[in-house]
Structures are given as structure tokens and as C-alpha cells.
Amino acid sequence: MALINLLNELLNQAIVRYAIVMYIIWLILPLLSLTDRKNFRLTSINAARTAVILLIMYVISSVLIILVGFKIYFPYVNSIFLTLTTWLILQSKNENKELPLMLLVLMLILIPYTVVMIYDSYPLGDDVRFTVGFAAAIAHDGRWIPLKYNENDYYQPFDAEPALTYMLLSTMGVPLKDIPIYYLLLKYSLFLIYVLSIYFITYRLTNSKGTAQLALLLFSITPPLSLTQIVAQGVSIVLALLTLTAIINQQLNNTNNIWVVILVFAVSGVIFHATYPLVIAAYLLPLLLIKGDAVIRLGRNRAGNYLAIIMAISIAYWVFTFAGIAVFSGLPMSIVQFINFLAGAFKPYATAWQPWYGPGLNQYLVSWTLVPAIAASAITYFIIKKMTRIGNLPENNNRYLVVLGLLGLLGIVLNFIARQSTWLGGRYFYWLYLLLLPLVSYFIIMTFRDRIISTLLVIALIAILGFYGVQDPTHSANTFITGIGWANNLSWKVSWVIAPLLSGNMPTILDPRIGTPLFAINFILNKPPPPAPRTGYPALIIIGNDNIGARIYEPTNSTSVVISLNFYKAYITRLG
């Protein structure tokens, strides 16, 4: 009965229904390709020249849209060029994939990112308040002082992300208050490294530049992989991909002098976020589970050595961190809560947060299902062919990619189920989508290349989902649609007006679109944060007068004093 209730609960969610439909579609498309015309290529088209023309047209179109302010038309333009570029990749006769085509692929990734940054150049999200706020704390104190600020236990020895931000703005000579200048540079630098690392790893795993380019296009329309906001976990994922790139490069060139670089990446990645060793383990574990697969010519023993060293560094950091906190300030609260949880005295995950995707935004969830559905189809055909040995079924012969994709797919499903009833998982495991990209892009190339009808259907499907993908709030925040409580440019401007007027003694309840900027601005102004409200005592509530604000607090006191601030309202009321 419990299983039936769980299935009913899952099927009532739009994203699950989308995933099932997409999986069925991607089971049918490969079968259709078996009856499709073979060896069909546009041999008369010069891929390099066509890519140059498309590149120029795409850049000009995007610039005009930005200058005129017609941002609502950008998803349509982007989808058209996504269609044409995917067609070039699948039908180009030159497997070397000329440089203009690669530049076109990069523009299809960087331009949507640029459009988002232009309209929302300030830090977005909730955790990013620490980026600027604690960077200001480092500037005021001269260094990061452990245990001084209310920060996660893991970051107490050294809060790496604010330190990176502070070093960058100090190098540039930019004041702390000029946030977009140094924050955008940090965003673009990390995003470019992120993209190029995905390309290099996919290329080395598949030995196909076309596959790597297709992986980048799929990456650009997959919202969970977005790097819109720069948080510590995002930096650690980028460092993990850089580490894997260095490991692969070391094996291909048979050199040992890159060990120092790998160790620097490993120590830095572990300090930034606990996700780092998990990403490394996800890529290296499949090499320990399969035999005879020389995908990246990384021996099983060496893979084990790399993994052991990185895990040792991670464990050492955990021990150092929590032992230090225990010595100087008592047993860390996270450990106390975990012990109480095991003893049954504390249940921190009894209920889950409600998803911010409302009914009006459900259609954007379809873009989350594209890559998992293709991966599930590829794995299904691999298993069927191995069991039945039917010769003409589509198959991915690269066992490493199959195991890597299976690991990622299982992780995504478990993460989704866990998130339904607990606070576990969620965005902390969105990086699992990275494990699917090599398998998915390789499967599409091997199954649909040289076909005509099935290729057109595949490209049309990718383009349609790409239309939703670039607009998804996780990727585009407040650029194309609203509905997510992230602070945009207007929020920061309003917060700069409010911050000097707030008393440090007045308890407050803040809309996150105001609370996030105010957290950072208070540090820049060297003001203490306002105290938390107490039941039965007056408090200042600054909240939006829309459905997002209503999710935070719904004032009911008819004697409340209302001060209108743009699309926000300030309420002075009594709690309780």
C-alpha cells in the first residue's frame, strides 16, 4: 500500500509525467532510425562556411535583441540557431569538426548566459549573500576568522569562496560596493572553465569532437547544470572537472609532472565544498568496476590511487575541521543533531520544502527530463542487445559510458525521491546530470547520424525543449519569467536604499529578494545584522506584495502600517 501511495504521489507530479513521455519517445526514435534512409549527408554544404554565416547571424540577432530590449524573443531566436547547429553536427561530413563550428557551439552557450547576466548582473540566489557579505568581513577583519560568524561548520577553518571573491576584487582594485564588476568576471571565468572542461572530458571519453560539441549543446539547455549563481559547490564542481581533465591529460601524455597540479586542485576543491570528492569518485568508480575498457587509457590501479588520495585529503579536512571546532567551541551542532537523529530524539527531515515551481511554471520542467530520458533509452537498448543479441538494435558499445550514465541516472532518481519527503538532496546533487552527457551525446551521434527523417525529429525535439530550457527559472532566474524568489538588480537597488534606514535593534522578517542583498550590504556597511523576531514582540516585516512574498509571510493584523516600496510592501505588526 505504501508503495502504491508513493507511485500515485510521484505520478501526480508534472516532471514525472514528462519524464515517462520523453522516455517512450526516445525508445521509439531509435527504432524509427532503423527503417530510415542511410548514408544521407549534405555533402554539398561546407560546414565551416555555414558555421561562420550562422555565427555572424546569431551574434547580430542577439545584440539587436539586447539593444532594442525585446528579450522575450530571444528564446525563439536561440532555438532556431540551436536547431541549425545540431543539424550541422549530425550531418557534417568532417569528423574533425572545423573551428568555426566549435565557435558557433560556444556562442550558443555563452550568449544565453550573457543575456541573463545583462538583465540580472547582481548575485542571484540565496547562498550567494555569503559571497559578497563574507568578502566584506574578510576586508574589515584583514583575514577570515574561524568561528566568528554564523557560517556552516564545514567552512569555519577557511571560507574559500568569499576569500576568492576578495582576492579578485583586490587584484582589480574595485570597491566592495561595485559588485557587478568583479562578480561578473568571476562568473564568466568559472563558466568558461566549466564549459571547456566538459568538452575536453567528453571528447577524451568518446574520441569524437562532434559528440563533445553535441554534449555542450545539451548542457546549455539542461537547467540543473546551470551556473547562474556562483556558490561554493559550483566552484568545487569546476575544480573537480579540472582535476579529471588533468588526470586524463597525464595518462594520455604519460607524464608525472602534473601531480602537483592535481594535488593543488584536490586540496582547493575539498576546501570549497564536500561535493568535490563525490564528483571525482563518480567518474573514477566505473573504471574500477569494468575490465578491458581503454576509453581514456587510465589503468584501474591508477584510478584507485587517485581516488584514494583525494578521499584521504577529504577525510583529513573533515577531521581537522570538526576536531578544531570541538576543541575551541564544543561539539559542532551538526554532529549533535546527527547523533540525536540516530537516537530518534530529533527528526530534521520530517517534512520537505514545497517546490518553488508553481502550476504556472510546470511546463519548464520538461527541459529537466530530456537528458535523463535519452540516457534511460540508451541504457535500455544496451541491456536488451546484451540479453537478446539482436544484431540491428541501437547500441552504445562503450561500456564505461554506459556504467557512468547508469550511475548518474540512478543517482538522479534517488535524489528526486529523497527530496519528496526530506530536506536531503535537491540541488546538491544536480551535478549528477554531468555523468549522463557523454553517454547521451554519443548515443545520439551513433544512432541518428546519416539518417534524415529520424534526425529531423530528434533535432526538432531538442529545439523545442531547448526553447523551455533557456527560460527555465533555475537557469535564467528573473530574466524571462518570474516566480522564483531570487534577488535581481531591482532588489539590490531597493536594498541599498533600505539598508541605511534600518535599525540594528529592530527584529525583522525579510522577503528573500530583500534579505539576501541586505545580508551582504550590512557587511559592506559594517552594520550588525538585525535580530531574529520573537513571538509576542514587535517586528518589521519587509515582504513582496505578490505570490512569492505571500509564501514567506501573510500579514493578518488589520492595524498594520503599510509602506509601499515598488513591488514590495513593508509591514510593521506584532507577531503571535
Side-chain angles (χ1 to χ4, degrees):
M1 183 62 69
L3 179 59
I4 295 177
N5 291 336
L6 175 61
L7 290 176
N8 288 332
E9 184 69 27
L10 292 176
L11 289 174
N12 284 331
Q13 301 187 51
I15 190 171
V16 175
R17 297 194 297 270
Y18 287 144
I20 294 173
V21 172
M22 290 300 300
Y23 173 60
I24 294 173
I25 291 174
W26 282 97
L27 283 179
I28 296 173
L29 285 174
L31 293 178
L32 180 61
S33 71
L34 297 177
T35 62
D36 202 351
R37 178 179 174 182
K38 298 181 180 179
N39 300 321
F40 179 84
R41 288 192 179 182
L42 297 178
T43 54
S44 61
I45 289 184
N46 185 305
R49 186 178 304 168
T50 306
V52 170
I53 295 173
L54 291 177
L55 178 62
I56 295 173
M57 293 174 60
Y58 184 50
V59 172
I60 293 176
S61 302
S62 301
V63 171
L64 288 176
I65 287 175
I66 293 171
L67 292 177
V68 177
F70 289 162
K71 62 180 180 180
I72 59 174
Y73 296 110
F74 177 77
Y76 297 93
V77 172
N78 190 76
S79 187
I80 291 172
F81 283 95
L82 176 67
T83 300
L84 297 173
T85 306
T86 307
W87 174 265
L88 276 181
I89 291 174
L90 290 177
Q91 293 298 327
S92 176
K93 63 180 180 180
N94 186 1
E95 173 56 25
N96 290 328
K97 304 302 174 192
E98 296 88 343
L99 179 60
L101 183 54
M102 180 60 189
L103 292 176
L104 178 59
V105 170
L106 287 176
M107 286 300 100
L108 276 161
I109 298 171
L110 294 177
I111 286 180
Y113 195 71
T114 303
V115 172
V116 174
M117 294 306 100
I118 287 174
Y119 286 100
D120 293 292
S121 55
Y122 278 91
L124 298 169
D126 46 8
D127 283 357
V128 290
R129 64 189 184 276
F130 303 117
T131 301
V132 179
F134 286 157
I138 293 174
H140 294 316
D141 296 334
R143 62 184 178 89
W144 174 254
I145 301 178
L147 305 177
K148 180 177 180 179
Y149 300 102
N150 185 22
E151 173 63 299
N152 187 290
D153 291 338
Y154 189 85
Y155 305 124
Q156 286 295 351
F158 184 73
D159 211 346
E161 187 202 0
L164 175 64
T165 304
Y166 179 68
M167 287 188 289
L168 179 62
L169 66 91
S170 298
T171 303
M172 297 175 65
V174 178
L176 270 166
K177 63 182 181 62
D178 295 333
I179 297 169
I181 297 177
Y182 58 85
Y183 191 74
L184 288 182
L185 178 60
L186 179 62
K187 275 190 174 186
Y188 274 107
S189 300
L190 288 173
F191 188 72
L192 193 57
I193 296 172
Y194 187 35
V195 169
L196 294 178
S197 298
I198 292 173
Y199 174 83
F200 180 84
I201 291 172
T202 306
Y203 170 59
R204 291 304 182 186
L205 292 179
T206 62
N207 197 31
S208 168
K209 292 182 179 178
T211 300
Q213 290 168 5
L214 183 60
L216 289 186
L217 291 185
L218 294 173
F219 152 78
S220 70
I221 60 174
T222 304
L225 296 178
S226 174
L227 206 63
T228 299
Q229 55 171 325
I230 301 300
V231 293
Q233 186 193 27
V235 180
S236 75
I237 292 172
V238 172
L239 287 171
L241 295 178
L242 275 177
T243 304
L244 291 166
T245 301
I247 290 173
I248 295 173
N249 185 68
Q250 181 187 32
Q251 296 307 306
L252 292 176
N253 297 322
N254 197 24
T255 59
N256 292 318
N257 56 3
I258 205 170
W259 258 107
V260 176
V261 176
I262 294 175
L263 287 175
V264 170
F265 285 156
V267 173
S268 303
V270 167
I271 292 175
F272 266 98
H273 200 272
T275 297
Y276 175 87
L278 299 180
V279 178
I280 298 295
Y283 277 92
L284 295 185
L285 275 177
L287 290 170
L288 304 178
L289 299 176
I290 58 179
K291 297 180 180 180
D293 200 321
V295 175
I296 57 173
R297 289 185 282 175
L298 181 63
R300 299 177 71 211
N301 291 335
R302 288 199 173 188
N305 292 338
Y306 288 124
L307 187 58
I309 292 173
I310 290 172
M311 287 300 176
I313 294 173
S314 178
I315 293 172
Y317 181 79
W318 278 94
V319 171
F320 170 78
T321 298
F322 287 100
I325 294 175
V327 169
F328 292 102
S329 64
L331 199 62
M333 183 56 61
S334 55
I335 293 181
V336 173
Q337 291 177 344
F338 183 68
I339 293 174
N340 289 336
F341 172 69
L342 294 179
F346 180 59
K347 298 180 179 180
Y349 307 125
T351 59
W353 292 333
Q354 292 296 315
W356 53 261
Y357 276 93
L361 300 176
N362 277 339
Q363 69 270 24
Y364 296 100
L365 290 171
V366 69
S367 58
W368 292 59
T369 65
L370 175 63
V371 170
I374 303 174
S377 172
I379 294 170
T380 299
Y381 279 113
F382 179 85
I383 294 173
I384 292 176
K385 186 159 185 178
K386 290 299 180 184
M387 293 178 63
T388 63
R389 302 192 181 277
I390 300 176
N392 60 347
L393 277 180
E395 179 193 3
N396 175 9
N397 292 313
N398 193 319
R399 289 179 295 163
Y400 173 80
L401 298 187
V402 173
V403 176
L404 187 68
L406 180 61
L407 179 63
L409 191 61
L410 291 175
I412 290 171
V413 172
L414 291 175
N415 179 50
F416 177 75
I417 294 175
R419 188 64 180 81
Q420 301 306 297
S421 58
T422 73
W423 288 351
L424 294 171
R427 63 185 176 89
Y428 293 107
F429 291 92
Y430 285 172
W431 58 268
L432 288 166
Y433 276 77
L434 288 171
L435 308 184
L436 308 182
L437 287 179
L439 170 64
V440 167
S441 55
Y442 187 72
F443 180 73
I444 292 176
I445 290 286
M446 298 303 294
T447 304
F448 299 102
R449 172 174 284 173
D450 300 342
R451 314 285 176 163
I452 177 170
I453 297 177
S454 55
T455 296
L456 288 174
L457 293 175
V458 166
I459 292 174
L461 192 57
I462 291 175
I464 292 172
L465 269 67
F467 172 77
Y468 289 104
V470 296
Q471 297 182 79
D472 184 280
T474 298
H475 170 73
S476 65
N478 311 287
T479 304
F480 301 110
I481 61 171
T482 57
I484 181 171
W486 282 3
N488 59 7
N489 290 347
L490 179 59
S491 301
W492 279 82
K493 291 176 182 178
V494 172
S495 298
W496 274 108
V497 175
I498 294 175
L501 305 177
L502 293 180
S503 169
N505 299 322
M506 172 63 74
T508 59
I509 296 177
L510 301 173
D511 188 303
R513 293 166 293 183
I514 290 292
T516 294
L518 283 179
F519 181 94
I521 292 171
N522 281 333
F523 273 98
I524 294 175
L525 299 177
N526 204 17
K527 290 181 58 177
R534 293 186 299 168
T535 302
Y537 288 85
L540 174 66
I541 296 110
I542 305 178
I543 200 166
N545 60 357
D546 54 10
N547 61 337
I548 298 175
R551 294 205 304 259
I552 307 302
Y553 185 81
E554 184 67 40
T556 57
N557 192 335
S558 60
T559 61
S560 299
V561 178
V562 180
I563 304 174
S564 180
L565 293 171
N566 251 324
F567 54 93
Y568 297 96
K569 288 184 180 179
Y571 299 93
I572 302 177
T573 186
R574 179 176 293 273
L575 299 180

